[in-house]
Amino acid sequence: MGVPGPQNPLFIVNPIAGSGRAHEIVPRVEAWLAGQGMKARLVETGGAGDAERLAAKAAGEGHDRVIAVGGDGTIQEVLNGLLSAGASSNGGPPEVGIVPAGRGNDLARSVDLPIDPMACLPIAIGATTRPFDVGLASGEDGRTRHFGAAGGAGFDAQVAYTMAVRRRFWMRGEAGYFLGTLNELRRYRNGSLQVTLRGDGDDRVVAQRCLFVAFANGPVYGGGMRICPDAAVDDGWLDVCLVGDLSRLAALRELPGIYQAKHVKNPKVEIVRARSVRIEGDPTTRVHLDGEPFGSVPVDVSLLPGAVGVAVAEPAA
């Protein structure tokens, strides 16, 4: 008996995700689907933007769920493709499944999925979904981009830029990300930022020197760092972590504790909630979305509540 859920899902595989991990599991995914008697189409991408284009055409080709096999960048492309196309084949919000096979897999962690990709297969094609808010960032030049987990401006975005554009051979996995972060910390200079936080009629402006400002839809980013530990992907709010003018030494002391959310106890760290955020400052201050570079400030960030449905594990009885 097959697993209940979508009748005609599309699997989009980024073969280079996780240093080739996603490509390596394709035969196992195909064998598992065959064993379930599941009608599904599986496509491997050939380059940047392919996942977005495939997802945009999915509903028109009769697919009732798009399942991303890869990392957070792959899922981000899928979200952008689905939302550019609008409603799903059944007229409701588009449905997404996640088979984590990337480096950080923060989106999978944010919806409590196992990090083992094969363990996620029955969940990805299962019947249980939950509403998932999607972030939207807008640059000063009119560029827009959706994101799933989190983004930021400042030091974290500088690290993301290095990992995406100037990654060295030793910057692999969680340990490599951490080492890359330490390497960037040696030369980074905190910048002055102005952050406008908009709530339900309760706006606030924070102007200060910052190591970075993170805006989170879910609790995790950067390969497991619990930057905004109380963030929820279905509450309609961005959680914003304002990290003030920490010295290199203070930042070095805080970095290991971010994985257990210990940084929230630092007096120069503040976490607030907002419906939307505008970050301005030195135009050389980089911005990232789900670890992918997104130019520099100024940037406006908001949420689209319940924009997609994401497949999740069935609740415990």
Side-chain angles (χ1 to χ4, degrees), residues 161-272:
Y161 174 82
T162 297
M163 296 299 289
V165 179
R166 295 190 285 122
R167 181 185 296 189
R168 305 290 296 277
F169 69 92
W170 45 267
M171 296 178 182
R172 302 294 180 187
E174 288 187 17
Y177 189 95
F178 187 73
L179 290 172
T181 300
L182 294 179
N183 192 50
E184 287 299 320
L185 186 60
R186 292 187 301 113
R187 52 191 173 207
Y188 189 77
R189 299 289 186 275
N190 296 349
S192 296
L193 295 176
Q194 178 174 298
V195 184
T196 303
L197 304 155
R198 302 184 180 96
D200 292 336
D202 183 20
D203 296 355
R204 176 187 171 198
V205 177
V206 178
Q208 63 183 31
R209 290 187 66 81
C210 294
L211 179 63
F212 66 88
V213 176
F215 41 87
N217 181 35
V220 185
Y221 88 156
M225 297 180 179
R226 299 191 66 79
I227 192 66
C228 292
D230 295 326
V233 297
D234 57 0
D235 64 355
W237 290 90
L238 288 164
D239 282 39
V240 183
C241 182
L242 303 161
V243 181
D245 194 18
L246 288 181
S247 67
R248 286 193 187 90
L249 182 58
L252 183 61
R253 285 198 299 261
E254 292 294 342
L255 275 174
I258 293 180
Y259 291 92
Q260 293 83 37
K262 295 179 180 179
H263 63 294
V264 301
K265 299 177 182 178
N266 190 297
K268 290 188 177 181
V269 174
E270 182 183 10
I271 296 182
V272 296

Side-chain angles (χ1 to χ4, degrees), residues 6-315:
Q7 300 303 303
N8 187 22
L10 170 65
F11 284 74
I12 298 178
V13 183
N14 176 4
I16 64 172
S19 300
R21 182 186 184 198
H23 174 71
E24 291 172 359
I25 66 169
V26 166
R28 296 171 62 196
V29 172
E30 291 176 327
W32 189 88
L33 290 169
Q36 299 294 314
M38 185 79 192
K39 177 187 176 185
R41 177 181 168 216
L42 189 149
V43 181
E44 291 194 57
T45 60
D50 278 3
E52 187 168 339
R53 289 187 286 271
L54 288 164
K57 297 188 297 182
E61 295 176 345
H63 298 293
D64 50 358
R65 183 176 297 173
V66 175
I67 297 169
V69 184
D72 294 327
T74 308
I75 301 168
Q76 187 191 106
E77 281 202 22
V78 166
L79 291 174
N80 277 273
L82 288 173
L83 292 176
S84 71
S88 67
S89 59
N90 61 15
E95 290 190 2
V96 180
I98 298 173
V99 176
R103 174 180 53 80
N105 302 311
D106 294 314
L107 275 162
R109 300 174 200 266
S110 292
V111 292
D112 299 319
L113 292 177
I115 300 305
D116 176 1
M118 298 307 295
C120 281
L121 269 177
I123 299 172
I125 63 169
T128 304
T129 64
R130 65 182 281 193
F132 187 90
D133 303 337
V134 176
L136 176 64
S138 303
E140 195 74 354
D141 58 0
R143 294 172 304 120
T144 62
R145 189 76 180 162
H146 296 98
F147 65 95
F155 174 67
D156 63 339
Q158 181 63 43
V159 174
Y161 174 82
T162 297
M163 296 299 289
V165 179
R166 295 190 285 122
R167 181 185 296 189
R168 305 290 296 277
F169 69 92
W170 45 267
M171 296 178 182
R172 302 294 180 187
E174 288 187 17
Y177 189 95
F178 187 73
L179 290 172
T181 300
L182 294 179
N183 192 50
E184 287 299 320
L185 186 60
R186 292 187 301 113
R187 52 191 173 207
Y188 189 77
R189 299 289 186 275
N190 296 349
S192 296
L193 295 176
Q194 178 174 298
V195 184
T196 303
L197 304 155
R198 302 184 180 96
D200 292 336
D202 183 20
D203 296 355
R204 176 187 171 198
V205 177
V206 178
Q208 63 183 31
R209 290 187 66 81
C210 294
L211 179 63
F212 66 88
V213 176
F215 41 87
N217 181 35
V220 185
Y221 88 156
M225 297 180 179
R226 299 191 66 79
I227 192 66
C228 292
D230 295 326
V233 297
D234 57 0
D235 64 355
W237 290 90
L238 288 164
D239 282 39
V240 183
C241 182
L242 303 161
V243 181
D245 194 18
L246 288 181
S247 67
R248 286 193 187 90
L249 182 58
L252 183 61
R253 285 198 299 261
E254 292 294 342
L255 275 174
I258 293 180
Y259 291 92
Q260 293 83 37
K262 295 179 180 179
H263 63 294
V264 301
K265 299 177 182 178
N266 190 297
K268 290 188 177 181
V269 174
E270 182 183 10
I271 296 182
V272 296
R273 304 174 83 212
R275 297 292 188 188
S276 65
V277 182
R278 179 174 175 83
I279 305 174
E280 303 168 274
D282 183 340
T284 64
T285 303
R286 298 189 188 278
V287 176
H288 80 95
L289 306 173
D290 292 332
E292 302 292 324
F294 184 72
S296 56
V297 299
V299 63
D300 289 282
V301 185
S302 58
L303 274 184
L304 305 176
V308 300
V310 63
V312 295
E314 293 183 19

